Amino acid sequence: MYYSVHGEVINLGPGVAVIECGGVGYRCLTTINTQKNLSLGSEAKLYTYLSVREDAMELFGFYSEEELNAYKTLIAVSGVGPKVGLSILSALTPQQLSMAIASGDVKTITLAQGVGKKLAQRLILELKDKFNFGSSEQFDVSGAPSQSYAVGNVPKAVEALAVLGYSSADVTPFISTLDPSLPVERLIGETLKMMGRK
């Protein structure tokens, strides 16, 4: 029903942003990552998702289409309701979440409030084959190279780095810039070098 709202940010609260459009204030439930891009009194555009239940209608707002697409994919999984979806995308960016799922990183996914080990495992099981950074329908992260990080040797390198104590969230900003066809050892070495640990 609503694709987006564009106007002045007239109120910000924990998990909530109110955008005034044409004299009407739209109350949007948001993630922490979206709120980092908003400031009171400034102009903003949020991509929206309208949740309709018997007892309530709630509007969810996201700073990017990638985050909105990630949200819609998450809430299609059994056990992931609207609030849990927000919690996950508050703890992880779409890119970090995609890397965590592609590499089977349960620990990183459970950083989100309300997400236990069993739910994290279900997310990995149901979504592992659905993430494609090169697809506009999925989590094509703005500013990131348009290639799939769930292919090549990246998952193996991420698993090896996890053994060394680095989560997907730690390594994603670095390993995502490398060619996934590089040997595992090279991916690990280059990532550690960029992180200043080698």
Side-chain angles (χ1 to χ4, degrees), residues 32-49:
I32 290 173
N33 287 322
T34 283
Q35 288 206 321
K36 287 177 182 175
N37 292 287
L38 304 177
S39 57
L40 205 57
S42 66
E43 193 172 280
K45 179 178 182 178
L46 294 182
Y47 295 92
T48 56
Y49 173 81

Side-chain angles (χ1 to χ4, degrees), residues 109-129:
I109 298 172
T110 56
L111 291 174
Q113 187 175 357
V115 179
K117 185 177 179 181
K118 286 185 179 179
L119 181 54
Q121 290 172 333
R122 187 184 305 146
L123 285 168
I124 291 168
L125 181 66
E126 293 193 26
L127 300 180
K128 193 159 191 174
D129 297 326

Side-chain angles (χ1 to χ4, degrees), residues 29 48-54 56-60 71 75 82:
L29 300 177
T48 56
Y49 173 81
L50 180 64
S51 172
V52 180
R53 304 195 310 270
E54 287 184 9
M57 287 180 62
E58 294 178 314
L59 192 63
F60 294 80
Y71 180 76
I75 62 174

